[in-house]
Each structure stands twice: as C-alpha cells, then as structure tokens.
C-alpha cells in the first residue's frame, strides 16, 4: 500500500536527516518513483486521501506534490487525477545506467597503483612516526600578526594568481639563504615558489620527461617521489643505495635516464650521506646521457655532527641540477610552501608552465613568510628546532642502545628527523612494525620503501614528532620489542 511505503521511507529519513515533513514526503515519493515502486502512468491517491492515510497536514502533502509536479515527476489531468509522468525513467533503465556509470567510474591502472601503493596515510602520527616534524612550538601569535598585517595592506594584485614565480621578497630571502647556507649558486630569478616538494617534483616530471622516459630513483626511495613519477607516466628504474648514497653501476647505465632523483644530504629513508666521488659520478652520468638531476635537499637544515654539507647543485658546472626544498619541517606542514631552483635556461618555461598548470597564488601568505624570514624569526625557529631535535635524537639513541650489536645497527643518525635501524635478513620487518604498532607506536619497515631490493631490512624511526617525555617513556618499550624479535630470529 502506498501510504505504508511512504511512511516507512519517511521514518528512515527522519532518523538520518534533519529535514521538514514536506521535504521528507517529497523525497520518499521521488525515491519510490525512481526505484520503480511507483511506475509511469500510475494514478496517485488524492491529496485529501494522502492527508488522512499519512496523518499529515493538507499543506504538507500539497507542498510535496507541487514540488514533484514542478520537477516533472507528476502530471495532473483535469477530471482524472494525478499520475506518475510517462517520461520518468523505468527502474530497469536506471539500473543499467548505474551499472554503466560504475564501469566508467573505475580507476585506470595508474589510478589503482597510485591509490594502493606506498600510501602515506598508513603512517598515523604517533611517537616515532618518520617524516613528521614537531610544530607545537611554532609562534602562532606572531605568525597571525604578520598575516593580518599583510591582509590589511594587501593590494588587488596580491589577490590574483602569481605569474612571476612567487612573491619577490620571498624569492630573494630564499636565494640569500641558499647561497649562504647551502652553497647553491643562483640568481633570484631562478627561484620558483611552489606548494612544496611534491609540486616541485610533479612540475619537473611534467616539463622534463615524456611518457615512458626513464627516471632513476634511489632504492629504497621516498614514497612521494615514486607517486609523482608514476602519476606522470615515467618508467621507474631503481638504483641501489649504499653507505655512500645512490650507487649507479654499468648495469644501471643500460637504462639511460632522462631524470635522476636523489636526496644526497640525508638519503630518505636510510640516512646515507652521498660522498663527493659519488656526487661527481652522478653529475658525469647526467652529462653523458643529457639527463637532469632532481636534488631533494631533504632534512638538510638539521645536521648534528660534522661540518655542514654543501649541496649537489653547488658542484654543478653544467646547469643540470634542479634543487628543491620546503619550509614544512622548520615551520609547520600545513604551510604548503616550498621552492624550486631551476637552471637559468629553464626559468621562462618553468614559470609559464607553473602558472598554466597550477595557478599559483597565496601571495599574502608568501609576504608574511618573507617578513618572517627577514626579521630573523625563521633563523630563530631553526636554531630552536636544531637544539630540540638534537636532544630527542640523543635520547632515542640511548634508549635503543640495549638492542644494538652485531645484528642491529643504526644509520643516518648524524642528521635529519629520523634514524634507520638496520636488521638482519632473517627479520620480517613489516611484521615487526605491525607488532610495534599494536603497542601504540608507529615505525615504518625499511623494506616498505623498496622498489626492487629484497636485502634491505630494518625500521625507520622518527623522533621529530616525539617529545622528550615520550621518548623516555616509549623508547625502552620500542627497544624491548626489537630485542624480543632479534632473540626470536637468532
């Protein structure tokens, strides 16, 4: 019976949605029509009958029927009554359309790969999560004052897209910083402000590589770079990483690269620092194959022992290195501002493509950041962060000391926000990471970063997001879990 059907549907709607009665009745009748429970040509009871059966006011029923009539679901015939319009799709046709839509909505092979492999969302932010910085000490009040200042004095052009590569004072500040602290030879014009390293990688892949071109990546590799190159249709060629960084062999050169992606200052995730001979080898390979090197200067701001390391771009005499970095690790991740330094001959093309593809903006935010740097707040934040992370690093090293030995050693502890605990091949590091996760801690299996290698086992352990108190509390728990696994697999 129609009234029972409508009452049931309205009851369901009232539980799920906060909508008036006339809208509930309208939705109930519309769904009944579209689902085929009311067929084209069926005659409806009169509004008076529906009012009595549904125990609703006449105004409520009339409002619902009028809306259905306006939208073409109902048609009134003088002297005959109200009927379901003949033009309403039949239920079978609707089902077929739904099936067709579902088929069309299926992801491409590339889409499936992008959405199911190397997924960062698996890294829940908990103590020891790698790749995450502590932004709890960020001077929010100061930052808000700077932003408010630039919003108050904003000129109309500051609200538009940026076609110049970014706010000029910010690009100058970046250029000055990189010249002094990273030994990058550059002009201000070569700096392009992006939304972060990920966008910088995508822009390089889009402009410098064609579909099917080969890109060399470190193995194990940073997941974000893998995704960026997969999304642009490049062919991934993994190159093994050793204690001196990316280690190309003659066998690798049988797959000539168009792009070479590397993190020479602090390889992610192993923590290896690329040696000078290895850097010169990469530059030579790039020149031989007319390739471009993408230098991700990840974690370069945080070096705790030994002299500062100059950039790979600082050795480049042939203008083949594109250098990229981000403000996220020093300030806060949601800032979403980074920089890309391109060779002079590519400046025009990159600025034009960045404008056309990404429609960059956020000029007031860039202006606030430029002043933040110019007033010395960035340098102060960096000093505080270095001191804090150095304390956390030392605390974590001490906590892990009981499980170190011949079968477990630490790499990459001289710099950055994480360290890598290398384990023997007999250890299932993915299963161990899951067991540690059941303790409320998040670490990442080293093998999960590998593209091709099967001989890299270990745990990637972050200390950037772990306060000292958490490391004191959970460090021994982590060490105990690792010790138990080493004993079990001995």
């Amino acid at each position: 019976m129609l009234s029972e059907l409508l009452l049931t549907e309205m009851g369901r709607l009232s539980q799920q949605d906060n909508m008036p009665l006339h809208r509930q009745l309208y939705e109930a009748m519309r769904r009944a029509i579209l689902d085929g429970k009311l067929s084209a040509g069926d005659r409806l009871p009169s509004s008076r009958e529906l009012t009595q059966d549904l125990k609703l006011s006449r105004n409520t029923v009339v409002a619902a029927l009028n809306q259905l009539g306006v939208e073409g679901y109902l048609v009134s015939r003088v002297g005959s009554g109200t009927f379901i319009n003949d033009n309403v799709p039949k239920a079978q046709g609707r089902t077929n359309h739904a099936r067709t839509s579902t088929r069309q909505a299926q992801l491409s092979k590339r889409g499936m790969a992008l959405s199911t492999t190397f997924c960062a969302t698996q890294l829940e932010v908990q103590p020891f999560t790698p790749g995450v910085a502590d932004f709890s000490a960020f001077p929010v009040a100061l930052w808000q004052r700077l932003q408010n200042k630039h919003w108050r004095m904003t000129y109309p052009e500051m609200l538009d897209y940026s076609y110049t590569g970014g706010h000029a004072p910010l690009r100058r500040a970046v250029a000055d910083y990189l010249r002094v602290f990273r030994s990058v030879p550059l002009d201000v014009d070569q700096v392009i402000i992006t939304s972060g390293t990920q966008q910088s990688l995508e822009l390089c892949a889009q402009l410098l590589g064609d579909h099917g071109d080969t890109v060399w990546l470190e193995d194990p590799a940073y997941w974000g770079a893998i995704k960026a190159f997969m999304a642009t249709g490049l062919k991934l060629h993994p190159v093994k990483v050793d204690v001196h960084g990316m280690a190309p062999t003659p066998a690798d050169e049988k797959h000539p690269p168009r792009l070479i992606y590397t993190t020479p200052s602090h390889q992610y995730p192993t923590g290896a620092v690329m040696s000078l001979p290895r850097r010169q080898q990469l530059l030579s390979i790039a020149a031989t194959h007319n390739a471009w090197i993408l230098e991700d200067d990840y974690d370069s701001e945080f070096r705790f022992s030994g002299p500062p390391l100059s950039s790979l771009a600082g050795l480049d005499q042939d203008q083949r290195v594109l250098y990229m970095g981000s403000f996220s690790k020093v300030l806060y991740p949601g800032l979403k501002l980074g920089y890309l330094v391109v060779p002079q001959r590519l400046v025009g093309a990159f600025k034009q493509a960045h404008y056309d593809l990404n429609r960059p903006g956020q000029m007031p935010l860039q202006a606030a950041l430029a002043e933040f740097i110019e007033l010395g707040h960035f340098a102060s934040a960096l000093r505080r962060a270095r001191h804090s992370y150095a304390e956390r690093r030392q605390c974590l090293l001490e906590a892990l000391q009981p499980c170190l030995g011949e079968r477990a050693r630490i790499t990459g502890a001289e710099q950055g926000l994480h360290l890598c605990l290398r384990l023997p091949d007999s250890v299932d590091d993915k299963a161990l990471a899951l067991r540690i996760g059941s303790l409320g801690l998040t670490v990442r299996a080293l093998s999960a970063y590998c593209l091709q290698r099967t001989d890299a086992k270990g745990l990637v352990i972050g200390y950037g997001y772990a306060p000292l108190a958490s490391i004191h509390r959970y460090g021994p728990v982590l060490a105990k879990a690792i010790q138990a696994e080493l004993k079990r697999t001995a």
Side-chain angles (χ1 to χ4, degrees):
M1 188 175 179
L2 177 60
S3 58
E4 294 176 356
L5 171 66
L6 296 178
L7 285 171
T8 300
E9 183 65 20
M10 288 177 66
R12 189 185 65 80
L13 288 170
S14 66
Q15 294 175 359
Q16 295 182 0
D17 305 301
N18 184 19
M19 62 174 67
L21 284 174
H22 77 275
R23 189 70 185 181
Q24 292 180 35
L25 179 58
Y26 157 81
E27 287 289 349
M29 294 187 72
R30 189 176 70 91
R31 293 184 186 184
I33 293 169
L34 292 176
D35 290 344
K37 296 172 182 176
L38 292 174
S39 303
D42 284 356
R43 183 181 182 280
L44 293 182
S46 67
S47 59
R48 188 179 302 276
E49 291 174 311
L50 285 173
T51 297
Q52 294 174 349
D53 291 342
L54 299 175
K55 294 182 173 52
L56 298 173
S57 72
R58 183 90 185 277
N59 288 340
T60 297
V61 173
V62 170
L65 294 176
N66 285 344
Q67 183 65 32
L68 290 165
V70 169
E71 296 183 8
Y73 291 98
L74 304 180
V75 58
S76 295
R77 299 170 187 166
V78 179
S80 300
T82 302
F83 298 82
I84 308 299
N85 198 329
D86 291 337
N87 294 328
V88 173
K90 294 181 172 59
Q92 183 62 39
R94 178 175 165 80
T95 302
N96 287 340
H97 175 70
R99 289 173 181 167
T100 302
S101 299
T102 301
R103 285 196 299 270
Q104 292 173 345
Q106 287 178 350
L107 295 175
S108 64
K109 291 180 180 179
R110 181 166 55 190
M112 285 293 294
L114 287 169
S115 62
T116 57
T117 59
F118 298 97
C119 296
T121 51
Q122 296 169 2
L123 295 180
E124 183 181 356
V125 177
Q126 292 175 328
F128 309 128
T129 300
V132 181
D134 179 13
F135 44 90
S136 61
F138 181 71
V140 175
L142 168 65
W143 183 245
Q144 287 176 332
R145 287 197 299 273
L146 289 175
Q147 287 197 90
N148 291 338
K149 170 186 173 181
H150 286 283
W151 272 113
R152 286 194 299 269
M153 61 187 295
T154 290
Y155 298 103
E157 58 267 25
M158 292 285 281
L159 303 179
D160 200 355
Y161 300 120
S162 170
Y163 59 88
T164 61
H167 187 52
L170 180 56
R171 290 191 290 121
R172 282 197 298 270
V174 169
D176 291 342
Y177 171 77
L178 295 180
R179 284 195 206 101
V180 174
F181 294 102
R182 303 302 302 131
S183 301
V184 179
L186 77 159
D187 296 325
V188 173
D189 197 46
Q190 293 175 252
V191 178
I192 297 173
I193 303 300
T194 67
S195 66
T197 298
Q198 203 63 25
Q199 188 178 78
S200 297
L201 285 170
E202 291 166 359
L203 195 58
C204 290
Q206 289 164 337
L207 268 68
L208 301 177
D210 289 319
H211 189 90
D213 280 351
T214 297
V215 54
W216 283 8
L217 291 93
E218 300 160 327
D219 192 9
Y222 166 53
W223 64 265
I226 296 172
K227 290 292 186 79
F229 300 135
M230 287 172 60
T232 46
L234 296 179
K235 182 180 178 181
L236 309 183
H237 177 74
V239 177
K240 189 174 181 178
V241 172
D242 62 16
V243 293
H244 300 295
M246 197 176 200
T249 66
D252 292 311
E253 291 200 61
K254 293 179 181 178
H255 306 271
R258 176 61 176 168
L259 301 176
I260 301 173
Y261 171 78
T262 182
T263 53
S265 295
H266 189 233
Q267 200 276 331
Y268 189 85
T270 68
V273 176
M274 187 176 288
S275 65
L276 179 59
R278 198 64 61 73
R279 293 172 185 236
Q280 292 172 328
Q281 180 190 11
L282 271 191
L283 290 169
S284 176
I285 290 173
T288 299
H289 296 288
N290 195 27
W292 300 97
I293 296 176
L294 310 183
E295 180 180 8
D296 182 354
D297 208 17
Y298 178 77
D299 275 352
S300 64
E301 301 92 348
F302 305 111
R303 184 163 178 80
F304 308 117
S305 62
L309 301 171
S310 61
S311 63
L312 180 60
L315 300 174
D316 180 23
Q317 300 296 317
D318 199 25
Q319 292 284 292
R320 292 194 173 277
V321 177
L322 290 89
Y323 177 97
M324 60 193 71
S326 168
F327 295 101
S328 297
K329 293 294 185 289
V330 178
L331 302 181
Y332 64 94
L335 180 65
K336 293 301 291 177
L337 286 177
Y339 46 86
L340 173 65
V341 179
V342 303
Q344 192 67 54
R345 52 185 159 156
L346 299 179
V347 167
F350 265 75
K351 286 185 178 180
Q352 184 64 57
H354 185 38
Y355 179 80
D356 290 341
L357 292 171
N358 301 319
R359 288 293 191 267
Q362 295 189 319
M363 299 299 279
L365 183 66
Q366 293 187 30
L369 178 56
E371 187 168 359
F372 188 85
I373 296 172
E374 290 165 0
L375 293 176
H377 299 304
F378 180 81
S380 297
L382 183 53
R383 283 194 299 270
R384 288 194 300 271
R386 281 193 186 121
H387 177 73
S388 175
Y389 293 143
E391 288 185 325
R392 300 177 196 201
R393 161 188 170 270
Q394 186 59 38
C395 184
L396 180 58
L397 288 173
E398 291 172 0
L400 293 177
Q401 195 63 39
C403 65
L404 301 181
E406 292 184 2
R407 302 183 68 230
R409 58 187 175 86
I410 288 175
T411 63
E414 298 82 9
Q415 183 169 313
L417 302 178
H418 77 280
L419 52 83
C420 185
L421 178 71
R422 306 302 291 264
L423 297 170
D425 290 344
S426 58
V427 172
D428 184 342
D429 56 355
K430 292 180 181 178
L432 176 57
L434 287 174
R435 283 195 289 275
I436 292 172
S438 67
L439 301 174
L441 308 176
T442 298
V443 296
R444 183 74 160 170
L446 179 61
S447 63
Y449 292 91
C450 293
L451 287 159
Q452 196 173 72
R453 293 179 63 173
T454 58
D455 62 340
K457 297 293 183 67
L459 297 176
V460 183
I461 308 169
Y463 48 84
Y465 196 74
L468 274 176
S470 293
I471 298 176
H472 280 299
R473 178 179 178 182
Y474 296 111
V477 176
L478 178 61
K480 186 176 180 181
I482 295 169
Q483 282 180 299
E485 178 66 15
L486 290 172
K487 183 177 181 180
R488 190 182 69 81
T489 58

